[in-house]
Amino acid sequence: MSITVTTKEQMDLLTAVFLSLRATEEEAFIQADVLTEADLRGIHSHGLQRLPVLVKRIQNGLLKPNVDPEVTWTSQCVMSVDGKDGFGTAIAEKCLRTIAPFARKHGVAALSIRNTSHLGMLGYYCTHRAEEGLICIAFTSSEALVHPFGGAEALVGTNPIAIGFPCGPLPFVFDMATAVCSMGEVIASKHRGEKIPPGWAVDKDGNPTVDPEAALKGSLAPVGGPKGYGLGVCIGLLSGLLSGAEIGNAVLGTLDVEHRCTKGDMFLLLDPKAFPGGNSFESRVGDYLEVLRGCKPQMGFSHVAVAGDHGYAMREERLKDGIPHPEEVWHAAQRLVPFR
Amino acid sequence: MSITVTTKEQMDLLTAVFLSLRATEEEAFIQADVLTEADLRGIHSHGLQRLPVLVKRIQNGLLKPNVDPEVTWTSQCVMSVDGKDGFGTAIAEKCLRTIAPFARKHGVAALSIRNTSHLGMLGYYCTHRAEEGLICIAFTSSEALVHPFGGAEALVGTNPIAIGFPCGPLPFVFDMATAVCSMGEVIASKHRGEKIPPGWAVDKDGNPTVDPEAALKGSLAPVGGPKGYGLGVCIGLLSGLLSGAEIGNAVLGTLDVEHRCTKGDMFLLLDPKAFPGGNSFESRVGDYLEVLRGCKPQMGFSHVAVAGDHGYAMREERLKDGIPHPEEVWHAAQRLVPFR
């Protein structure tokens, strides 16, 4: 019940769907690329399976193709964008390309974005900036799905942070959410008829649960207790409030098909060349990653990896052998392609 | 066996010790203040008990009072400092004061520091910047005490991050290390003759241990497994490599009395007023923190707190009632005060 498709087949399908909904060629390509890069790395929660929701959001007028974002510069180093409900993916990628030369000129720059759709895999943008020689720290927010440490209600987003560093031959990109797991993993456990591990979630009354159904009505635990909780709150403040968007329960529309998307994003760019360690930076990053990979493994582990190792290996394999999808995911996507 | 001293008594003792070792008045005050603010908040691992090591480092010529740091500006937004083995505390605080007006002018700025002593409680600097209306993201590194996820050797620092936000009446400051616990907590368990909780550490062969003695010879677990591991690595790259300092096992001298201090620091400053959410930022931060504090608690919790609540409450109490120290800590400090 699995269908394997080539990257080109998936990109062609996705761009055809977005173009048929009046996305520009650039919007269609970038949105398709963000989804496909997630699938190539095995992060299916952020891949093709999101297409039906994206299409419905466009049809419902909540995600608007072909809009002109309103851009404000408070200095050459700070760009703020009102995305006018456009594609979060294309707007973030294009604005990052715009601000990159200023990060190179001044050594540091910041980009805040509000009123755009879900960014997808946050590491996408950091990978591109790192390929261009820049360090990129990205923050974004989600609907409140996570309870505060010791709390019984969902009041904090899964608020991820991603950081990308230039490093040969491939950028080093770390990408984490501040919840102990994703709602996607809880849903997957439910579909497999399995329990979730203890410590992942509480039910709607705040009691610990291993029942995925109860977890879906409850909330997820912050990773590392008070640490993930505090970090998630900070990321909400940086991405949501600073950009002029929302925070906590006022964040809507990153996954549903009924609400305008009210999350915000924040990107910080640093040019290594502006810092004393800049000249040897890429090679020293690579050397340190090799030291980590060379660490003696604990019992039960075959080796020690660094962030991205698994995703890069899978990407290489899937570029060659294709991307596997559950039959129903591929067929649901195919049904969204317009007749010509 | 506990002695309670006033803030003034502790500050007088500390400044007298540093002045006797030829620190400038400003160095002596800032170093004393960093230690005392930690004790006021109950973070004794970063307080007065560090004094004997600091004194020994000065006597051994590893920490040099009254030096002129070498400052480089690559733009008005990027300041890089070679601290010439001076006081990390005073150099960081003074350089942050120097760069703050440029963060206000341009909206964003970065400060990297190398060749200075341990910063102490990282939140100290973020608190001050937040009081001045700026957001401050601080990264620093420590000796390698943490094993990679799945690894059996200590190759990553406890590499903390602190973030401070302006917010009335008190700044919101979050400060975390990326290890599941601190070596200080392991040492404290050992002194109390207690086991450490499972999951905190592995022994020198990489096997899980609850014996603090074995943990001290082994390594600490990263918080949240691969998440704390990845974040700790990124913080090492940002603070250590970018500043031109060291990373991993090459980081020495943050706690010992034999090595030059080779860690690095990185500070990013953002002016909320440069961003669309800037006008209402402080009040919206405060409103959200109140929402979090109002969260229904889980069973076993009396209430939900936000980062800093506990520390601020303790600080207020101790400013009034004094700071308690184990007798031997206070007496060890007193023995370092010179005869007049």
Side-chain angles (χ1 to χ4, degrees):
Chain A
M1 330 258 262
S2 163
I3 288 185
T4 298
V5 301
T6 66
T7 303
K8 184 175 183 311
E9 285 167 336
Q10 175 163 331
M11 283 295 289
D12 285 350
L13 181 151
L14 285 166
T15 48
V17 171
F18 295 127
L19 289 172
S20 76
L21 293 162
R22 291 186 307 283
T24 65
E25 298 231 345
E26 195 173 34
E27 286 170 344
F29 174 80
I30 294 172
Q31 181 65 62
D33 198 39
V34 171
L35 296 172
T36 304
E37 284 293 339
D39 282 325
L40 282 168
R41 288 167 169 78
I43 310 165
H44 294 289
S45 59
H46 287 60
L48 184 71
Q49 69 178 55
R50 295 222 174 192
L51 183 63
V53 166
L54 278 165
V55 168
K56 196 77 189 163
R57 287 186 62 79
I58 297 172
Q59 289 167 341
N60 290 353
L62 299 166
L63 197 180
K64 296 180 183 148
N66 198 8
V67 292
D68 274 327
E70 191 181 309
V71 173
T72 314
W73 293 82
T74 30
S75 77
Q76 285 201 342
C77 315
V78 178
M79 181 183 185
S80 297
V81 180
D82 176 344
K84 305 286 184 187
D85 299 330
F87 279 99
T89 48
I91 290 169
E93 179 63 17
K94 286 164 67 182
C95 291
L96 283 164
R97 287 179 201 159
T98 303
I99 201 170
F102 295 95
R104 278 194 198 89
K105 182 175 170 193
H106 299 284
V108 60
L111 165 66
S112 87
I113 305 181
R114 68 188 188 285
N115 297 332
T116 69
S117 64
H118 192 271
L119 291 182
M121 179 179 67
L122 203 51
Y124 179 86
Y125 312 92
C126 298
T127 303
H128 285 188
R129 302 298 78 73
E131 284 167 351
E132 298 160 9
L134 296 174
I135 296 169
C136 178
I137 310 178
F139 307 99
T140 188
S141 33
S142 83
E143 268 92 343
L145 296 171
V146 181
H147 61 74
F149 177 68
E153 301 168 79
L155 291 175
V156 186
T158 55
N159 302 0
I161 175 174
I163 315 185
F165 297 89
C167 168
L170 293 165
F172 173 63
V173 181
F174 172 68
D175 188 344
M176 69 170 265
T178 46
V180 77
C181 64
S182 71
M183 269 300 177
E185 290 173 277
V186 175
I187 293 168
S189 293
K190 182 186 144 187
H191 287 163
R192 291 194 306 267
E194 292 171 5
K195 288 189 167 35
I196 56 170
W200 274 23
V202 298
D203 66 17
K204 66 179 173 39
D205 301 314
N207 298 312
T209 185
V210 293
D211 172 13
E213 193 70 54
L216 289 171
K217 291 176 190 140
S219 53
L220 303 175
V223 65
K227 294 191 177 187
Y229 162 46
L231 190 58
V233 168
C234 291
I235 292 171
L237 300 177
L238 287 169
S239 60
L241 291 195
L242 208 50
S243 68
E246 295 293 349
I247 197 164
N249 276 327
V251 178
L252 298 169
T254 65
L255 297 165
D256 65 56
V257 296
E258 292 130 36
H259 299 282
R260 285 186 59 240
C261 186
T262 57
K263 59 83 196 160
D265 319 310
M266 176 65 67
F267 296 90
L268 302 176
L269 297 176
L270 300 172
D271 184 351
K273 294 200 175 56
F275 295 88
N279 279 339
S280 56
F281 190 72
E282 300 193 20
S283 67
R284 291 188 78 195
V285 173
D287 291 347
Y288 183 53
L289 299 182
E290 277 307 303
V291 168
L292 295 171
R293 290 188 187 102
C295 180
K296 182 186 147 192
Q298 283 178 27
M299 185 117 59
F301 287 81
S302 64
H303 68 288
V304 168
V306 304
D309 281 356
H310 177 74
Y312 280 132
M314 183 171 278
R315 184 177 189 276
E316 203 170 326
E317 196 182 290
R318 291 184 168 186
L319 282 173
K320 195 158 48 73
D321 302 336
I323 305 168
H325 288 291
E327 208 174 25
E328 63 272 22
V329 168
W330 183 252
H331 287 163
Q334 276 187 317
R335 279 194 293 276
L336 298 169
V337 182
F339 293 107
R340 306 251 175 188
Chain B
M1 330 257 260
S2 164
I3 287 184
T4 297
V5 300
T6 66
T7 303
K8 184 173 183 310
E9 285 168 335
Q10 176 162 332
M11 285 294 290
D12 285 350
L13 181 152
L14 285 166
T15 48
V17 171
F18 296 127
L19 289 172
S20 76
L21 294 161
R22 291 186 307 281
T24 66
E25 297 232 345
E26 196 173 33
E27 287 171 344
F29 174 80
I30 294 173
Q31 181 65 60
D33 197 39
V34 170
L35 296 172
T36 304
E37 285 293 337
D39 282 325
L40 282 168
R41 287 167 170 79
I43 310 164
H44 294 288
S45 60
H46 286 60
L48 184 72
Q49 69 178 56
R50 295 220 174 192
L51 183 63
V53 166
L54 278 165
V55 168
K56 195 79 190 162
R57 288 186 61 79
I58 296 172
Q59 288 167 341
N60 290 354
L62 300 166
L63 197 180
K64 296 180 182 146
N66 198 8
V67 292
D68 274 326
E70 190 180 310
V71 173
T72 315
W73 293 82
T74 32
S75 78
Q76 285 202 340
C77 315
V78 177
M79 181 183 183
S80 297
V81 179
D82 175 343
K84 306 286 185 187
D85 300 330
F87 279 99
T89 47
I91 289 169
E93 178 64 17
K94 286 164 67 182
C95 290
L96 283 163
R97 288 179 200 159
T98 303
I99 201 171
F102 295 95
R104 279 194 196 90
K105 181 174 170 192
H106 299 284
V108 60
L111 165 67
S112 87
I113 304 180
R114 68 188 186 286
N115 297 334
T116 69
S117 64
H118 193 272
L119 290 182
M121 178 180 68
L122 203 51
Y124 179 86
Y125 313 92
C126 298
T127 303
H128 284 188
R129 304 296 79 72
E131 284 167 349
E132 298 161 8
L134 295 173
I135 296 169
C136 178
I137 310 178
F139 308 99
T140 188
S141 32
S142 83
E143 267 93 342
L145 296 171
V146 181
H147 61 74
F149 177 68
E153 301 168 80
L155 291 175
V156 186
T158 55
N159 301 1
I161 175 176
I163 315 185
F165 296 90
C167 168
L170 293 165
F172 174 62
V173 180
F174 172 68
D175 188 344
M176 68 171 267
T178 48
V180 77
C181 64
S182 70
M183 269 300 178
E185 290 174 277
V186 175
I187 293 168
S189 293
K190 183 186 145 190
H191 287 163
R192 290 194 305 267
E194 293 171 6
K195 288 189 166 36
I196 56 171
W200 273 23
V202 298
D203 66 18
K204 66 180 174 36
D205 300 315
N207 298 311
T209 185
V210 293
D211 172 13
E213 192 70 54
L216 289 171
K217 291 176 189 141
S219 53
L220 303 175
V223 65
K227 294 191 178 189
Y229 163 45
L231 190 58
V233 169
C234 291
I235 292 171
L237 300 177
L238 288 169
S239 60
L241 291 195
L242 208 50
S243 68
E246 294 294 348
I247 197 165
N249 276 328
V251 178
L252 298 169
T254 65
L255 296 166
D256 64 56
V257 296
E258 293 129 36
H259 299 282
R260 283 187 61 240
C261 186
T262 57
K263 57 85 194 161
D265 319 308
M266 176 65 68
F267 296 89
L268 302 175
L269 297 175
L270 300 172
D271 184 351
K273 294 200 174 54
F275 295 87
N279 279 339
S280 56
F281 189 72
E282 299 193 21
S283 66
R284 292 188 78 196
V285 172
D287 291 347
Y288 183 53
L289 299 183
E290 277 306 303
V291 168
L292 295 170
R293 291 189 187 103
C295 181
K296 183 186 145 191
Q298 284 179 28
M299 185 119 57
F301 286 83
S302 64
H303 68 288
V304 169
V306 304
D309 281 357
H310 178 73
Y312 280 133
M314 184 169 280
R315 183 177 190 276
E316 202 170 327
E317 196 180 290
R318 291 183 167 186
L319 282 173
K320 196 160 46 74
D321 303 336
I323 305 169
H325 289 292
E327 209 173 25
E328 63 272 23
V329 169
W330 183 252
H331 288 164
Q334 277 187 317
R335 279 194 292 276
L336 298 168
V337 183
F339 293 106
R340 305 254 173 185

